[in-house]
Amino acid sequence: CPVTNPALTPRLFIFVCGTIDFDASGKLYLGCQSAIQIWPGGTVLSSNGNSELIQIGTKVVWRDNNQNLTGPYYLNDGCQSLGCVGQGVLSVQFNSLRLVQSQPYKLDVEWSTSFELQSVRFAVERSNDQQNWETIGVVPAKGNSQVVQHYSYTDSRPKAGVNFYRVREIDQSGQSLISDIARATIESKDEISLYPNPVKDQASLYCQGGFQNGTVIKVFNQNGAFVQQFRTGNPDVFKWDIRDYKPGLYLLQIQDMNTMQVKTIKMIRQ
């Protein structure tokens, strides 16, 4: 029977790799925001009638009119907030989406696809509330592929707190499909940080707003003996070689020459 309350019915994703064969007068009812993706080689068979149908929420997205529905194709109820645009030729199949914090205050957005048809580009989108999204970068797509393709984009300016990410694929017709959502939390970006720590060969100090010109970095060993001193420019990262340092604990003193404030960070040389 039809879904009595589509808004409260669980959201389902159905991937058709083989064949769905409806009995005469057969019907499939799914909750709101559900989706069916028919992969290449997949088929929804007509039963030579006109009463068979697929309904998502309150919308009939397919009705048997003596025509088979073959992949690549997708069906959804047009829920724009989730990137749904109704039904049409499937232009991409997202395989994965993950976030990797490669440096402080920087996130690598990594995703892959297992199928692409006339895909043009991917727009990487970010939000703090999952309601308002902004495009932070664009990555060219492969175009046509039936093997796994890998993509990545580095967000060098994530906002403090919770960040949500998703990837929108745009095809040659201008239609778009959206990936699942991934989440990451960025701590306050006002502090200078050392990353990674322990350090093996090269130390890297990060300052989101950029170091002040002439900032002084002094290095002391665990006994308090002076080891080395540097003056920075104003990039947001300062790196130096520590391969001559003996393994152990070191203290970094970073002094802002404008405010004369000093911050101390512990560094472990592997």
Side-chain angles (χ1 to χ4, degrees):
C1 62
V3 174
T4 57
N5 192 335
L8 298 180
T9 302
R11 178 186 176 197
L12 298 176
F13 290 89
I14 298 176
F15 300 94
V16 182
C17 301
T19 301
I20 293 180
D21 188 359
F22 278 91
D23 292 332
S25 301
K27 297 175 175 59
L28 175 62
Y29 296 99
L30 300 174
C32 294
Q33 301 179 354
S34 296
I36 298 175
Q37 295 191 358
I38 307 171
W39 285 28
T43 306
V44 176
L45 288 180
S46 164
S47 61
N48 297 318
N50 56 13
S51 59
E52 295 74 41
L53 62 83
I54 298 174
Q55 179 173 318
I56 299 177
T58 59
K59 182 176 182 179
V60 175
V61 297
W62 177 79
R63 188 182 295 276
D64 185 353
N65 291 311
N66 299 322
Q67 293 182 351
N68 295 336
L69 189 59
T70 59
Y73 208 81
Y74 65 90
L75 298 167
N76 58 57
D77 58 353
C79 43
Q80 289 293 328
S81 64
L82 297 172
C84 306
V85 291
Q87 54 261 15
V89 175
L90 179 66
S91 57
V92 69
Q93 175 61 55
F94 285 103
N95 191 44
S96 65
L97 174 67
R98 70 170 189 158
L99 305 176
V100 178
Q101 187 170 357
S102 56
Q103 301 175 4
Y105 321 134
K106 291 188 178 182
L107 283 172
D108 294 334
V109 184
E110 300 179 351
W111 69 97
S112 64
T113 65
S114 53
F115 168 81
E116 293 181 40
L117 178 65
Q118 297 183 346
S119 58
V120 175
R121 64 188 180 276
F122 295 95
V124 181
E125 300 179 344
R126 183 182 66 202
S127 173
N128 293 110
D129 57 10
Q130 299 192 73
Q131 299 297 321
N132 302 296
W133 294 88
E134 62 173 331
T135 298
I136 60 172
V138 175
V139 176
K142 298 298 181 182
N144 296 289
S145 174
Q146 295 191 41
V147 298
V148 175
Q149 301 289 346
H150 297 277
Y151 300 89
S152 66
Y153 176 82
T154 298
D155 182 7
S156 59
R157 292 289 185 270
K159 298 179 180 179
V162 177
N163 291 261
F164 298 95
Y165 294 85
R166 67 185 188 184
V167 177
R168 180 189 298 272
E169 178 266 353
I170 298 95
D171 65 18
Q172 290 183 4
S173 69
Q175 296 285 349
S176 65
L177 289 173
I178 291 181
S179 71
D180 289 337
I181 295 172
R183 165 181 174 160
T185 300
I186 299 296
E187 301 299 333
S188 174
K189 301 189 295 184
D190 296 330
E191 296 294 328
I192 298 171
S193 58
L194 179 74
Y195 190 87
N197 194 14
V199 187
K200 184 178 181 181
D201 296 324
Q202 187 179 64
S204 300
L205 277 173
Y206 295 85
C207 181
Q208 177 68 13
F211 290 98
Q212 295 294 327
N213 279 319
T215 294
V216 174
I217 301 172
K218 295 180 180 180
V219 183
F220 300 87
N221 66 20
Q222 59 187 347
N223 297 321
F226 174 80
V227 176
Q228 204 169 6
Q229 177 175 311
F230 308 95
R231 284 184 178 270
T232 71
N234 60 354
D236 59 3
V237 58
F238 180 78
K239 301 181 179 183
W240 73 99
D241 194 313
I242 66 166
R243 283 176 290 184
D244 291 336
Y245 289 19
K246 295 180 180 180
L249 175 66
Y250 292 83
L251 296 178
L252 309 179
Q253 288 187 354
I254 302 102
Q255 184 174 26
D256 187 321
M257 300 309 292
N258 292 329
T259 65
M260 302 308 292
Q261 292 182 338
V262 177
K263 178 178 177 61
T264 301
I265 296 177
K266 293 180 179 179
M267 179 181 74
I268 299 175
R269 164 71 162 97
Q270 288 182 330

